[in-house]
Amino acid sequence: MDFGSENTSPVHPAFAQAFVTANEGYATNFEAERWTERALRALRDFFETDELWAFTVSTGTAANAIALGAMVPPYGAILCHWDAHIATDECGAPEMYSFGARQVPLAGDHGRISPEALSKHLREARFGVVHAVQPAVLSLTNLTEAGTAYSPDEVAALTAVARKAGLGVHLDGARFANAAASRNASPAELSWKAGIDILTLGTTKSGSFGAETIVAFSPKYNTALAFLRKRGGHFAPKSRFLGAQIETYVQDGLWLANARHANRAARRMSEGLAGLAGVTLIHPTEGNEVFVSMPDAMIDALARAGCKFQRDWRMDPRHHRFVTSWATSDDDVDRMLDVCRSAEGSDARRP
Amino acid sequence: MDFGSENTSPVHPAFAQAFVTANEGYATNFEAERWTERALRALRDFFETDELWAFTVSTGTAANAIALGAMVPPYGAILCHWDAHIATDECGAPEMYSFGARQVPLAGDHGRISPEALSKHLREARFGVVHAVQPAVLSLTNLTEAGTAYSPDEVAALTAVARKAGLGVHLDGARFANAAASRNASPAELSWKAGIDILTLGTTKSGSFGAETIVAFSPKYNTALAFLRKRGGHFAPKSRFLGAQIETYVQDGLWLANARHANRAARRMSEGLAGLAGVTLIHPTEGNEVFVSMPDAMIDALARAGCKFQRDWRMDPRHHRFVTSWATSDDDVDRMLDVCRSAEGSDARRP
Amino acid sequence: MDFGSENTSPVHPAFAQAFVTANEGYATNFEAERWTERALRALRDFFETDELWAFTVSTGTAANAIALGAMVPPYGAILCHWDAHIATDECGAPEMYSFGARQVPLAGDHGRISPEALSKHLREARFGVVHAVQPAVLSLTNLTEAGTAYSPDEVAALTAVARKAGLGVHLDGARFANAAASRNASPAELSWKAGIDILTLGTTKSGSFGAETIVAFSPKYNTALAFLRKRGGHFAPKSRFLGAQIETYVQDGLWLANARHANRAARRMSEGLAGLAGVTLIHPTEGNEVFVSMPDAMIDALARAGCKFQRDWRMDPRHHRFVTSWATSDDDVDRMLDVCRSAEGSDARRP
Amino acid sequence: MDFGSENTSPVHPAFAQAFVTANEGYATNFEAERWTERALRALRDFFETDELWAFTVSTGTAANAIALGAMVPPYGAILCHWDAHIATDECGAPEMYSFGARQVPLAGDHGRISPEALSKHLREARFGVVHAVQPAVLSLTNLTEAGTAYSPDEVAALTAVARKAGLGVHLDGARFANAAASRNASPAELSWKAGIDILTLGTTKSGSFGAETIVAFSPKYNTALAFLRKRGGHFAPKSRFLGAQIETYVQDGLWLANARHANRAARRMSEGLAGLAGVTLIHPTEGNEVFVSMPDAMIDALARAGCKFQRDWRMDPRHHRFVTSWATSDDDVDRMLDVCRSAEGSDARRP
């Protein structure tokens, strides 16, 4: 029972097989080979557009930081939810890749940016005044860091406000597949059709070894993206192994199957927990993450049972996170619920 | 016949097997797992010291840039050979990770820094004067970019000069194994025993999927290395696959076997070419790289035969590079030599 | 009637005279002259300590940014009030000079950081975790941007919390003299005795041509400060004119006389406005700044009378700022109050 | 007798008077006043073009670094003479303001870049290849750091090569007036008419308190220049004192009178020295700087006589620099020559 992160799971067999296949014979390095080319073609099909360029890297932090670095000037500001991964868990990588642009935290319930908060900030920003940093990019996350899923309309409502003020829009899609599965929306509907300029598409949390793609829906960022990727040390010489992962992810519906599986497991857990005394869901379970407060006795019981999860999320002792993945079985979830149930009622200290 | 780079070769079976083995069950992410721990232990054996910390990343550019960024202040200077990889092929990554430190190119034959050039530069550097950038790091490369190998004594002679002036010393070891094999020196003799503070140890060119380790022989850089790696987007969540590669590389002598194999292949090629009319070796062949000038007819013949190599190295039409790897067979080399031989004498346009 | 900023006033005659005096004969450039030496001695007297080093620059933004850049690593965070000048009016200069450190906005009434907000942030900061930026500096402002003055005890209470968590403390003292005059505290009591590591001491708003000094109460930042100042282009060749301003400011009590004068003028304005219908003081007037909301009719009347002030402070149409300086006369204030009085009661649209 | 630098001289009376005049009454801060406006108008007359924008700062290092930072991307390269001030005496400020762009040193006699060296570098640069930094700006200096003066034709020959390769061109004009006086060329002829995009125009070395202007001959850099200046802490609140200096410099021919005076003094010194035994001119004296090697006895005699100059220029014990300024009198020069003459022949150790 490991619900610590999708990244603690083993790699999905399809990706393991892709590495075996890609390792046949010689291949030109630095993307001048057919796996990268096939990945690009597959992504264009996946997103239903030929106006798409892709820059693959090995981590999500790199993907976000390079994307944002290409979009924002050093004197610019990146508007994002206060709880966004770029704000909380990337050690200032976006600041590094943008040479000191500022992240501006915006409010909103359950990880979603409030359109009102966004509008208010933009109204009060001093555009053109050299004393003030200049809002340049809106960065969304879908799934949000609270495990909720924006719908295409919700994304479009926010991007419309941003675009009117001249901002570009970035989407952190580390769990993009889970959002698409949750909202039953196509990749195109949740990205460029809803006003996204650059999407960072994650495959790592979906079961790959480690491959994230900066998907640019406009060529205007390409030069900056290409040089920033190299300069950041993220241009992989044996690129065929990144290309092979991307292709594997998008083809044959693996992305969707894995996401649906993980989402279903989280819903199963969420529904099971909701019925327990002393357990409160902190955010609605819309993807593959469950955020709860629960009695100490349950936490202790889970620890004794060897169940792994993120305790004290955001340093809050009443806030815990459980994540499911392609590898989570119904049995894993049921065993976890059994442990919780066994501890039900035996502790009243929390919450 | 592909002599373009070690990185065009397929991955060595031992690394492929390591991935299969590492992919069993769940493992805590971000290095809190046993593969990373085992890799660290293996590296301490390899380098014969427990005063060693390791930070693994996915590319050589990242390894060099993070190491240098941790060693040099923004107002500092990095002294390196004008032909060093950090100077020529990393798009200013060291400048990015050091927030603008300067690379100072030094002279020296065949890729080796001349001790006199180093001494002269340090004598004329204005230490303590705020108008001048301050020499802070000497960066060596072994194998050098000219394919030559420093001996332990040659390394020690340079590091002694650097240390006397208060500089730290970095060694770019993308082809460290080839240098060690060439000089019949142990990893310890070619690194900390010869005065190296941080070594970036490559496994990618030795046949892995992609894993480079920043090996620090002093704890004083650890905080900066750890945060800079994360901030650069190089802290891999599925760290077990990096750890597994490092362990595979250093254990059972794979590193040395692969390096010896590649070096032998290069020597075979070099000796074969040396006997051909119109062919001149530009640098002595001390590792797994052969640098030559050759008649146009040979170049054309090689191209027609589908042989891959780096033409016009450093934009010089009389300078070509051939690289061998663990995967290069004697037959590959002999076929290449046959093609060259077939074109011998038919062209006098180029020397 | 110009209450737009202290910086719209003419330069005080003492500074003008200092330039005439300093312009006699030749003087070595770059601080190797006697004016800089005398300024340093004068500052050591002023702050009652010989453990003091000074780095003079021409703007307050430069002073703050260089000081912070020397104190915080790129992966660090600067904790400051959300309304601080470094956060609102310096276009990210602290981010530039720190190579991307993050400013973390803290809450607190009337421009003062709440000790509870500071403690809470530090309690929840993930020290030592590479995914999170690391709190490194507490930056205070005195006078605050709301025109209020911290007492020595209030400063000490905040610095104690910061130091316990290992942070350094910076004080933006663009209006340090006004704070000292307001609190009847000595420069030492309001700075190093209260736990400040580096103070940026402004003379510009006190009537000089433009000279701000980074005052470091510990030598440990000196190397970074010296090189960062030069690298930022802030090491003035004709340094004697900066030194002469610093000396003029601290000697003969000019700093205190000017501050008391300005504070008295602001109090006169504040007391006069407080009696007018429809006028509300937004912050208590503790220094030389008056923040009010007032009826539109008064605003219009002031505009018609040619009175200058900052309308719509922080983009808020109900928030206006009036600043007094050494040059403000009682008559200026009284005329301004007369204009307001003349418009009293004629407008009810605004509060 | 002080020939250490123009900046050791007193400020010229016209600039002192300008400060008195500018200090009358209140003036809006941050350039929204008439002195800045008048300076802009004066510069447009001076350069005979209305396509000109100006950004004034307080030091030459700031002017150069901000200009270059606006022109070059972080992955770009700045091509300059190896002896250029930006390369030798600004502690990497251009690297800081460009977020890590690289300075590439080019060869050429007497401080002038050789057109062949420039062409060769551009021919071998790997444009469009992400592994290599991309040449983006050619930076010239006039007077050069060797005290020589490019003619308009020489400038145009170099800018033509640069423009053909897509580079912008920057001119460091700290001693622009001396170059114009030397070459009898108009400001326009030596700048935009010869292909310069941005000129950093110095007044400090011409006798002002300290004012340098970034003169942009195209609006395309304006946004970057404005924000970078603020972000670097170089946007002066009491801007009227910068504007007043610029206006003073360009009006009434002060710039040319001062430059001619200084150039004449240098020529007098140079001609005097040329006739002395053991003295060799290292560079031709084309402006207000004299570079010589001279016997130790002369150096000692000058030191004993209290004569100031730059000994051991570039750390070379046979290389000394003497600079003249608006304040240098014929008598100063003659006394210096007398001292040298008195020591003539008494020492043969150098050179």
Side-chain angles (χ1 to χ4, degrees), chain C residues 114-131:
Chain C
S114 142
E116 292 70 35
L118 174 61
S119 293
K120 181 172 190 296
H121 182 82
L122 290 173
R123 218 164 36 235
E124 297 178 356
R126 292 176 289 160
F127 284 101
V129 175
V130 296
H131 305 280

Side-chain angles (χ1 to χ4, degrees), chain B residues 74-75 86-96 99-103 105 123-127 129-134 314-315, chain D residues 74-75 86-96 99-103 105 123-127 129-134 314-315:
Chain B
Y75 54 86
I86 59 169
T88 61
D89 270 310
E90 302 189 352
C91 196
E95 282 92 333
M96 178 167 170
F99 307 104
R102 188 179 296 169
Q103 295 193 39
R123 217 164 37 234
E124 296 178 357
R126 292 176 288 161
F127 284 100
V129 174
V130 295
H131 304 280
V133 294
Q134 301 291 302
R314 301 278 181 252
M315 304 295 276
Chain D
Y75 53 86
I86 59 169
T88 61
D89 271 309
E90 302 189 352
C91 195
E95 282 90 334
M96 178 168 170
F99 307 104
R102 187 179 297 170
Q103 295 194 38
R123 217 162 40 232
E124 295 178 358
R126 293 175 289 160
F127 284 101
V129 174
V130 296
H131 305 280
V133 294
Q134 302 290 302
R314 301 278 180 253
M315 305 293 277

Side-chain angles (χ1 to χ4, degrees), chain D residues 50-317:
Chain D
D50 283 349
E51 283 291 298
L52 175 159
W53 288 263
F55 300 83
T56 300
V57 297
S58 62
T59 75
T61 293
N64 285 334
I66 293 169
L68 292 166
M71 297 177 85
V72 64
Y75 53 86
I78 299 160
L79 313 188
C80 63
H81 195 276
W82 62 264
D83 191 39
H85 196 268
I86 59 169
T88 61
D89 271 309
E90 302 189 352
C91 195
E95 282 90 334
M96 178 168 170
Y97 278 82
S98 65
F99 307 104
R102 187 179 297 170
Q103 295 194 38
V104 173
L106 298 179
D109 292 339
H110 300 307
R112 288 186 189 89
I113 293 172
S114 141
E116 291 70 37
L118 174 62
S119 293
K120 180 172 189 298
H121 183 83
L122 291 172
R123 217 162 40 232
E124 295 178 358
R126 293 175 289 160
F127 284 101
V129 174
V130 296
H131 305 280
V133 294
Q134 302 290 302
V137 174
L138 170 67
S139 177
L140 305 176
T141 314
N142 206 9
L143 294 193
T144 71
E145 283 298 285
T148 54
Y150 285 109
S151 71
D153 283 354
E154 287 169 340
V155 171
L158 288 164
T159 65
V161 175
R163 292 180 167 288
K164 206 171 151 186
L167 277 66
V169 186
H170 162 254
L171 176 62
D172 177 350
R175 294 187 179 94
F176 184 74
N178 303 89
S182 171
R183 288 304 193 157
N184 204 22
S186 74
E189 287 166 348
L190 264 187
S191 59
W192 63 273
K193 288 186 177 173
I196 302 298
D197 293 301
I198 296 191
L199 162 69
T200 47
L201 177 67
T203 75
T204 313
K205 290 188 198 302
S206 293
S208 75
F209 285 97
E212 308 276 315
T213 296
I214 303 162
V215 177
F217 296 110
S218 149
K220 77 174 168 178
Y221 301 113
N222 286 0
T223 300
L225 289 169
F227 279 95
L228 204 44
R229 177 174 61 163
K230 171 66 197 180
R231 199 166 159 83
H234 287 288
F235 193 24
K238 298 191 179 176
S239 48
R240 56 170 138 173
F241 297 105
L242 289 172
Q245 291 180 80
I246 303 303
E247 192 188 14
T248 301
Y249 173 79
V250 298
Q251 80 190 0
D252 302 333
L254 180 65
W255 68 280
L256 191 55
N258 281 358
R260 282 181 176 156
H261 178 92
N263 287 6
R264 261 197 310 267
R267 204 160 48 242
R268 184 184 191 93
M269 182 188 294
S270 184
E271 289 169 0
L273 288 169
L276 302 187
V279 176
T280 312
L281 281 177
I282 292 172
H283 303 299
T285 303
E286 299 178 7
N288 64 319
E289 297 177 288
V290 180
F291 295 86
V292 290
S293 70
M294 53 170 54
D296 281 1
M298 277 186 201
I299 289 168
D300 296 343
L302 287 168
R304 275 195 311 273
C307 178
K308 295 194 172 162
F309 59 100
Q310 284 265 358
R311 281 183 69 160
D312 302 349
W313 184 247
R314 301 278 180 253
M315 305 293 277
D316 178 350

